[in-house]
Amino acid sequence: MSPKNVIFKKICKDKSVGVYMGRRDFVDRVDSVDPVDGVIVIDPEALEGRKVFVTLSCTFRYGRDDMDVLGIAFRRELYLSTRQVYPPLQDREKGVHTKIQAKLLRKLGNNAYPFFFEFPDNLPCSVALQPGPHDVGKQCAVEFEIKAFSAESQDAKVRKRSTVKLMLRKVQYAPEGLGEPPSVETTKDFIMSDKPLHVKASLDKELYYHGETIKVTLNITNESNKNVKNIIISVDQVATVVLYSNDTYIKCVDLEESGDSVSAGATLQKVYKMLPLLANNRERRGIALDGKLKHEDTNLASSSIIKEGVLKEVLGIMVSYRVMVKLIVGNMMGSSEVGLEIPFRLMHPKPEAGKPLSSFPVFKTELEEEMVFQEFKRSYLKGIIGDDEDEEGNVSGGDDMAPKEK
């Protein structure tokens, strides 16, 4: 029996336009990004002479859609590109760029037309800030979307019943070259002490995969006359919203208060194990997450890798990680702190050749393989019917639709 490959299918309410795509995850390799390809299927009778267009957009959302303060919109389009699909502006064969499109066109017939977009190299990856348990509305996020619609012209008012949207995700994977394991050390002098306190902290590597234990090696030589009363190790996520206000959110995603002490004249060498996971931070507002599709699970946001020369101001949300080591030092006269900061990267490993890039199946190129269409079931099919201007469920990226196989 030949293997089955899922094709994502979504059709607008008036059935004039449908979108078919073999994947919804696209990899940013820093110097290049996977192109977005798919097929649009039209119904000439339902179109009633209208044209069909498809757009690829990248939107930065800083809070809810209805927020507007002093005339500043909290939603900004970072990128928008539009193609006319029907009537075609070129021969259908010339619009075919991938084997996915070629097979879909053979399967779907004469009313199917290919579309193809290439990402510019200065767009951010899909990232969202986790809302609080009682937050409502859209979260702060960078989102990608394919939208197909029928209209008299590209600039004409578009009816929601003639529009279909499909959320995409732009992701990065760990680079192949590994950096040197980071190491930081400091020497602290104290008043009334002839000799200092020396601290060195290091990690076993510079890049970690999600779900991997981080080993922090701590070497303390306390030649001072003060005591180290406690050692606190934490993993911080630093998310900087670089549009509008340049806000920075520093969130501790793992913490260990060891209770270890180092008396005057003593030494300590110890390895601490840290494990930053979303599972331990699900209720915490403002933690950056990798973008997700539908209600599937996700993880802490991956570290951002930026192409040299790209302006950071257009990158939406930038994410980095660091290990913080804090020593509480003191005596009967009071206490002070000695701190060290060790940066590292947290990412997904690059998938092995031939394996899907994410939890979404990637359409393979072998012609003998069978296609299975996963259709997004619309809210109006469940009896929720509104007019053209109120059909919010009809233009969702899939968040309110249960998939079914066909």
Side-chain angles (χ1 to χ4, degrees):
M1 185 176 179
S2 61
K4 297 179 179 180
N5 295 275
V6 172
I7 301 297
F8 299 98
K9 168 187 175 183
K10 197 171 180 184
I11 300 175
C12 67
K13 184 177 177 181
D14 67 7
K15 307 297 175 64
S16 62
V17 180
V19 176
Y20 294 74
M21 298 185 70
R23 58 177 172 170
R24 296 169 70 190
D25 278 4
F26 300 87
V27 180
D28 182 346
R29 296 177 172 83
V30 181
D31 58 346
S32 66
V33 185
D34 288 346
V36 177
D37 62 290
V39 167
I40 300 293
V41 175
I42 60 104
D43 183 337
E45 293 185 5
L47 283 178
E48 299 177 341
R50 299 191 301 271
K51 298 178 180 180
V52 175
F53 303 89
V54 60
T55 65
L56 170 65
S57 64
C58 173
T59 302
F60 174 73
R61 192 189 309 278
Y62 195 10
R64 295 168 51 190
D65 277 338
D66 56 359
M67 292 179 100
D68 193 333
V69 179
L70 299 177
I72 300 176
F74 280 76
R75 182 180 185 277
R76 176 175 172 181
E77 248 173 20
L78 300 180
Y79 177 76
L80 178 67
S81 180
T82 304
R83 306 271 192 273
Q84 179 177 317
V85 177
Y86 180 84
L89 301 180
Q90 61 180 354
D91 293 340
R92 197 166 73 152
E93 290 71 21
K94 292 183 179 179
V96 177
H97 291 77
T98 67
K99 293 182 179 180
I100 297 175
Q101 292 174 313
K103 188 177 180 184
L104 280 172
L105 291 176
R106 286 193 293 270
K107 178 80 172 179
L108 299 173
N110 293 329
N111 288 328
Y113 298 87
F115 67 86
F116 185 86
F117 292 93
E118 290 186 298
F119 283 106
D121 60 5
N122 62 344
L123 292 181
C125 288
S126 300
V127 179
L129 298 186
Q130 180 168 257
H134 305 295
D135 288 351
V136 295
K138 296 286 188 178
Q139 59 191 350
C140 180
V142 174
E143 299 174 335
F144 290 86
E145 180 181 78
I146 280 287
K147 179 175 77 171
F149 60 94
S150 59
E152 285 72 20
S153 68
Q154 179 178 332
D155 300 323
K157 183 178 180 180
V158 180
R159 298 185 300 174
K160 291 185 177 181
R161 64 186 298 113
S162 303
T163 303
V164 57
K165 298 181 180 181
L166 200 59
M167 300 298 293
L168 309 180
R169 186 164 54 183
K170 182 169 172 279
V171 298
Q172 283 182 327
Y173 293 107
E176 295 181 355
L178 299 179
E180 293 293 326
S183 177
V184 178
E185 57 185 304
T186 186
T187 299
K188 178 70 172 179
D189 292 303
F190 300 97
I191 299 175
M192 306 297 291
S193 177
D194 294 335
K195 294 185 179 181
L197 168 69
H198 184 77
V199 186
K200 180 179 180 180
S202 59
L203 306 183
D204 55 327
K205 52 185 177 178
E206 184 262 346
L207 188 149
Y208 295 88
Y209 299 143
H210 291 284
E212 191 174 8
T213 299
I214 300 170
K215 296 179 180 179
V216 184
T217 301
L218 194 59
N219 288 278
I220 300 174
T221 302
N222 186 10
E223 297 179 331
S224 73
N225 58 10
K226 296 183 180 292
N227 298 322
V228 176
K229 298 191 292 186
N230 194 8
I231 299 173
I232 302 171
I233 313 288
S234 66
V235 177
D236 289 352
Q237 179 195 75
V238 182
T240 303
V241 181
V242 294
L243 282 173
Y244 297 113
S245 58
N246 208 34
D247 291 341
T248 296
Y249 300 87
I250 300 175
K251 300 291 183 178
C252 174
V253 291
D254 194 26
L255 176 68
E256 180 178 341
E257 293 196 37
S258 67
D260 293 336
S261 61
V262 186
S263 58
T267 62
L268 173 72
Q269 180 173 351
K270 185 174 179 179
V271 177
Y272 297 87
K273 295 182 179 180
M274 309 297 292
L275 185 58
L277 293 173
L278 174 58
N280 302 326
N281 295 277
R282 289 194 182 277
E283 302 299 318
R284 302 192 57 207
R285 187 176 187 270
I287 288 180
L289 312 177
D290 275 344
K292 65 178 180 177
L293 303 175
K294 294 179 59 200
H295 294 298
E296 69 170 32
D297 203 3
T298 184
N299 48 262
L300 297 174
S302 298
S303 299
S304 303
I305 299 179
I306 306 168
K307 182 178 180 180
E308 186 176 353
V310 173
L311 293 176
K312 294 181 180 180
E313 287 72 17
V314 300
L315 293 180
I317 302 174
M318 293 176 54
V319 179
S320 61
Y321 289 90
R322 65 192 187 190
V323 169
M324 298 295 294
V325 177
K326 184 189 295 183
L327 276 60
I328 309 300
V329 183
N331 53 25
M332 297 296 292
M333 302 299 295
S335 62
S336 60
E337 296 182 357
V338 177
L340 297 91
E341 175 181 327
I342 319 168
F344 69 94
R345 287 188 287 180
L346 183 65
M347 303 189 74
H348 286 292
K350 183 178 179 180
E352 296 178 18
K355 291 190 176 182
L357 295 177
S358 73
S359 57
F360 285 90
V362 176
F363 180 78
K364 299 181 188 297
T365 59
E366 288 80 356
L367 297 181
E368 69 274 8
E369 292 178 345
E370 179 184 351
M371 288 185 292
V372 175
F373 293 87
Q374 177 175 295
E375 185 172 4
F376 294 94
K377 188 175 181 180
R378 303 195 161 281
S379 57
Y380 75 88
L381 294 178
K382 303 174 186 176
I384 304 175
I385 304 178
D387 59 33
D388 283 356
E389 298 303 315
D390 294 326
E391 293 168 351
E392 294 299 332
N394 187 46
V395 296
S396 165
D399 291 350
D400 57 351
M401 301 174 188
K404 67 178 182 180
E405 288 194 357
K406 201 171 180 181

